[in-house]
């Protein structure tokens, strides 16, 4: 690791003066080492048995120390004072924890005016001063949010939850559990608290209600139930021991409270007629959808089976028709072949009778179709037959000649295309330049063009290409 030292700016009035050059930085590699690092490696790789044993020993020692401290300090229990009804003193016994700060302020002012020591003296009331002190104490407690929370937490409260056996009819659920939830809503941190509702409440609202209570957060404090008063501690160790004991007791009571509320929520959810009805409807809907899916799958399977059967039937029908068509075609072909053989035999016989060229007769027998032979032999008179025979021979000869010419032309075009394909665009460009550079009449023109093209084409190919270009009008 390279170490770099950054110097701050020079002080005001300081003259920069260089006495010597700064030495270059040096890179040093650092390796982890030491007892702590060794313990970390052993713990990380799960081989630190010594540390594990040490921790277990520490836990045993802590338990032993707690027992000794309990024996030493446990006799100093907190003395609980009698509960005073501050709301009653201020005349707010009907509102109590639901009273607002404005309500408390107005009630306090009213009671101060009524029980002021001067007015008590005028009325001759001896116990008025004690009442005034109680009013002041009530005000100091209830006007402070934290003190008021602690005081409200001390008020007598019914932590019981109803049982499922207490519900005889559906209406009992709304009255019994509605009262329980209303009672426990006192401790909610949130001000907007949903109500249990009745049988007409929408199921979404009901589910939102239970969702709220499942994530319920309570502001209830249990500090007033602390077993030990830290002010009575005689040493710092004793005070810390008292704080640990009190904190442990608060956590346990808080956990018991939340567990009790969740038990109430789950019990209410399990016996709520609306939830039961909703679950039954969901189950029925699920079964209905499952039945629909099964019926749809069954119909799909039946439809696929029906289509497969129809396809198989159609295939068999098509095969049958195809077989019939083939058989019919075979019969027709056999019939035509038989008739064709008879017509050819007749033509050969008539050809011999009328002294026709036998080679031409055989050629006609091979070339002519059944219809053409029937047309040729429709008139068996010698003169008519001879004329028809000669016409047919001439026609066949002309068709043969045309076919040969077409094949020759196609072969020629194919050769030309091959020849054109052999000429690259660069060669055609050079040829065009060469024709201009060596026009007709120049001595040894074709040899010079051949050399100009670099000898890639023969003189015969060049002459043929130039002639073709002239025919196409591309060269003048």
């Amino acid at each position: 690791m390279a170490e770099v030292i950054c110097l701050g700016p020079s002080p005001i009035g300081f003259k920069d003066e260089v006495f010597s050059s700064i030495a270059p930085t040096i890179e040093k590699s650092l390796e982890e080492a030491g007892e702590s690092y060794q313990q970390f490696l052993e713990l990380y790789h799960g081989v630190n048995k010594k540390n594990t044993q040490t921790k277990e020993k520490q836990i045993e020692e802590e338990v032993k120390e707690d027992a000794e401290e309990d024996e030493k300090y446990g006799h100093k229990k907190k003395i609980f004072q009698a509960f005073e009804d501050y709301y009653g003193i201020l005349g707010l016994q009907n509102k109590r924890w639901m009273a607002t700060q404005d309500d408390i302020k107005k009630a306090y002012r009213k009671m101060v005016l009524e029980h002021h020591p001067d007015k008590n003296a005028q009325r001759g009331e001896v116990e008025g001063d004690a009442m005034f002190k109680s009013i002041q104490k009530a005000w100091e407690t209830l006007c402070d949010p934290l003190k008021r929370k602690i005081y409200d937490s001390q008020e007598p409260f019914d932590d019981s939850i109803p049982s499922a056996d207490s519900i005889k009819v559906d209406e009992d659920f709304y009255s019994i559990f509605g009262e329980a939830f209303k009672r426990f809503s006192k401790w909610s941190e949130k001000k907007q608290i949903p109500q249990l509702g009745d049988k007409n409440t929408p199921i979404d609202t009901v589910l939102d209600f239970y969702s709220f209570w499942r994530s319920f957060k309570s502001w209830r404090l249990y500090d007033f139930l602390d077993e030990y008063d830290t002010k009575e501690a005689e040493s710092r160790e004793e005070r810390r021991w008292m704080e640990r004991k009190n904190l442990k007791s608060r956590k346990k009571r808080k956990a018991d409270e939340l567990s009790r509320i969740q038990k109430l929520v789950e019990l209410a959810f399990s016996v709520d007629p609306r939830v039961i009805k909703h679950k039954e409807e969901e189950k029925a809907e699920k079964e209905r959808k499952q039945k629909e899916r099964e019926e749809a799958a069954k119909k799909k399977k039946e439809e696929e089976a029906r289509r497969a059967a129809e396809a198989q039937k159609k295939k068999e029908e098509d095969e049958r028709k195809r077989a019939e068509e083939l058989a019919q075609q075979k019969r027709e072909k056999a019939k035509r072949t038989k008739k064709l053989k008879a017509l050819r035999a007749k033509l050969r016989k008539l050809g011999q009778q009328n002294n026709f060229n036998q080679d031409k007769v055989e050629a006609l027998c091979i070339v002519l179709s059944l219809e053409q032979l029937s047309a040729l032999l429709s008139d068996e008179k010698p003169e008519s037959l001879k004329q028809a025979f000669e016409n047919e021979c001439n026609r066949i000869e002309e068709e043969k000649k045309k076919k040969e010419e077409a094949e020759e032309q196609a072969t020629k075009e194919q050769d030309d295309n091959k020849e054109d394909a052999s000429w690259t665009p660069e060669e055609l460009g050079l040829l065009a330049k060469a024709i201009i550079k060596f026009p007709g009449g120049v001595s040894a023109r074709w040899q010079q063009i051949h050399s100009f093209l670099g000898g890639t084409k023969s003189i015969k190919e060049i002459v043929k290409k130039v002639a073709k270009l002239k025919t196409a009008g591309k060269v003048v």
Side-chain angles (χ1 to χ4, degrees):
M1 182 191 299
E3 296 180 355
V4 180
I5 300 175
C6 297
L7 301 177
S10 303
I12 300 173
F14 179 80
K15 294 181 179 180
D16 294 335
E17 188 174 352
V18 179
F19 295 95
S20 63
S21 61
I22 299 175
T25 57
I26 302 174
E27 290 189 4
K28 293 183 178 180
S29 59
L30 301 179
E31 295 183 1
E32 295 82 354
E35 184 179 352
S36 298
Y37 181 68
Q38 180 67 22
Q39 290 177 358
F40 165 75
L41 288 180
E42 291 175 349
L43 182 63
Y44 181 78
H45 294 290
V47 296
N48 194 354
K49 296 181 180 178
K50 183 178 178 181
N51 267 2
T52 305
Q53 293 174 356
T54 304
K55 286 185 178 180
E56 291 177 355
K57 189 175 180 181
Q58 288 177 355
I59 293 172
E60 291 178 359
E61 290 177 354
E62 287 177 1
V63 172
K64 187 176 179 181
E65 288 178 3
D66 287 344
E68 291 175 355
E69 289 176 343
D70 288 351
E71 186 178 353
K72 182 178 179 181
Y73 305 124
H75 63 282
K76 294 186 178 181
K77 297 286 184 178
K78 184 177 179 181
I79 300 174
F80 292 95
Q81 298 179 355
F83 180 77
E84 292 186 70
D85 186 3
Y86 290 153
Y87 289 111
I89 292 172
L90 296 180
L92 297 172
Q93 59 273 13
N94 294 329
K95 292 186 176 181
R96 307 198 71 79
W97 63 274
M98 291 186 290
T100 63
Q101 286 295 322
D102 192 46
D103 293 336
I104 295 171
K105 188 181 293 183
K106 289 179 180 178
Y108 167 71
R109 289 176 179 174
K110 179 181 177 181
M111 297 304 291
V112 165
L113 291 175
E114 186 177 343
H115 296 280
H116 196 275
D118 295 340
K119 290 190 177 182
N120 290 333
Q122 292 176 4
R123 290 193 294 264
E125 295 180 0
V126 180
E127 298 179 355
D129 291 345
M131 181 62 180
F132 185 77
K133 289 179 180 179
S134 297
I135 293 170
Q136 290 295 332
K137 193 173 181 181
W139 164 252
E140 290 174 359
T141 300
L142 299 181
C143 71
D144 184 274
L146 180 59
K147 289 182 179 179
R148 185 182 178 186
K149 280 187 178 181
I150 297 173
Y151 175 79
D152 287 341
S153 300
Q154 298 179 52
E155 282 198 300
F157 184 79
D158 181 10
D159 277 312
S160 64
I161 61 176
S163 64
D165 298 335
S166 61
I167 302 173
K168 306 302 180 185
V169 293
D170 290 352
E171 295 302 327
D172 292 344
F173 170 79
Y174 303 111
S175 58
I176 295 172
F177 279 86
E179 186 277 330
F181 279 109
K182 184 177 180 182
R183 181 162 24 99
F184 281 99
S185 65
K186 170 183 178 179
W187 311 117
S188 175
E189 289 185 355
K190 296 180 180 179
K191 301 302 179 184
Q192 300 294 331
I193 305 171
Q195 301 299 316
L196 181 63
D198 53 25
K199 63 180 181 180
N200 298 320
T201 304
I203 189 61
D204 291 339
T205 306
V206 174
L207 296 177
D208 289 342
F209 169 82
Y210 286 108
S211 177
F212 171 84
W213 281 95
R214 284 193 175 103
S215 59
F216 183 81
K217 292 185 179 179
S218 171
W219 57 262
R220 192 175 184 179
L221 303 175
Y222 293 95
D223 304 51
F224 68 97
L225 292 176
D226 289 347
E227 296 182 55
Y228 303 97
D229 187 355
T230 55
K231 294 179 182 178
E232 299 297 326
E234 296 180 358
S235 64
R236 182 174 61 181
E237 290 77 11
E238 184 178 3
R239 186 179 72 255
R240 289 179 177 175
W241 176 84
M242 288 181 175
E243 289 173 351
R244 288 199 305 272
K245 287 292 182 181
N246 290 338
L247 182 60
K248 185 177 180 181
S249 175
R250 292 176 207 161
K251 287 183 177 179
K252 185 179 183 306
R253 289 189 174 92
K254 195 70 175 177
D256 292 343
E257 176 199 1
L258 295 177
S259 175
R260 187 165 50 251
I261 292 175
Q262 291 309 309
K263 185 178 179 182
L264 169 66
V265 174
E266 296 307 321
L267 177 61
F269 188 81
S270 64
V271 298
D272 192 330
R274 301 164 299 182
V275 176
I276 294 173
K277 182 182 178 182
H278 177 63
K279 287 183 177 179
E280 290 174 351
E281 290 175 351
E282 279 189 334
K283 184 179 178 181
E285 181 66 15
K286 187 177 180 181
E287 290 176 352
R288 184 187 65 80
K289 289 182 178 179
Q290 179 65 22
K291 189 176 180 181
E292 286 181 355
R293 286 194 294 269
E294 290 175 355
E295 289 179 355
K298 184 179 178 182
K299 287 182 179 179
K300 184 179 179 181
K301 191 174 181 181
E302 291 175 353
E303 181 66 18
E304 288 176 352
R306 185 186 64 79
R307 288 180 179 177
E310 289 180 354
Q312 182 65 25
K313 186 177 179 181
K314 187 175 182 300
K315 182 180 179 183
E316 292 175 356
E317 184 68 18
D318 292 342
E319 289 177 353
R320 185 185 63 79
K321 289 181 179 180
R322 179 64 179 167
E324 289 181 358
E325 289 176 359
L326 290 174
Q328 183 65 24
Q329 290 175 4
K330 191 175 181 181
R331 287 193 296 270
E332 291 290 335
K333 184 178 181 181
K335 187 177 179 181
R336 287 176 62 86
T337 302
K338 185 177 179 181
K339 192 174 181 179
L340 185 61
K341 285 181 179 180
L343 291 174
R344 286 173 177 173
K346 187 178 180 180
L347 179 61
R348 291 188 183 99
K349 184 178 178 181
L350 291 173
Q352 289 176 357
Q353 292 174 359
N354 294 281
N355 297 319
F356 292 163
N357 189 322
Q358 292 301 313
D359 293 337
K360 291 183 178 181
V361 170
E362 289 300 325
L364 290 179
C365 288
I366 296 171
V367 173
L368 295 183
S369 64
L370 177 64
E371 289 76 12
Q372 290 173 335
L373 279 173
S374 298
L376 177 63
L377 300 175
S378 60
D379 190 354
E380 296 182 8
K381 293 178 181 180
E383 294 179 0
S384 301
L385 182 61
K386 184 178 181 181
Q387 184 64 39
F389 179 78
E390 291 178 355
N391 292 339
E392 198 64 34
C393 289
N394 293 334
R395 183 183 68 79
I396 291 172
E397 190 66 28
E398 288 178 2
E399 287 181 357
K400 184 180 179 182
K401 187 177 180 181
K402 287 179 180 179
K403 185 177 179 182
E404 290 175 352
E405 290 177 354
E407 290 177 354
E408 185 180 353
Q409 181 65 24
T411 304
K412 185 178 179 182
E413 290 178 357
Q414 188 175 3
D415 294 340
D416 291 343
N417 291 334
K418 287 183 180 179
E419 185 180 347
D420 291 340
S422 65
W423 283 81
T424 64
E426 291 77 8
E427 290 173 340
L428 290 173
L430 290 173
L431 179 61
K433 292 179 180 179
I435 292 171
I436 296 171
K437 186 174 183 180
F438 307 107
V442 176
S443 176
R445 181 191 183 198
W446 301 113
Q447 287 81 359
Q448 294 188 58
I449 293 176
H450 172 72
S451 301
F452 188 80
L453 292 177
T456 57
K457 299 293 179 181
S458 65
I459 295 176
K460 184 178 180 181
E461 289 176 331
I462 294 171
V463 172
K464 189 175 180 181
K465 187 65 177 175
V466 171
K468 188 175 180 182
L469 292 175
K470 284 183 177 180
T471 303
K474 296 180 179 180
V475 176
V476 180

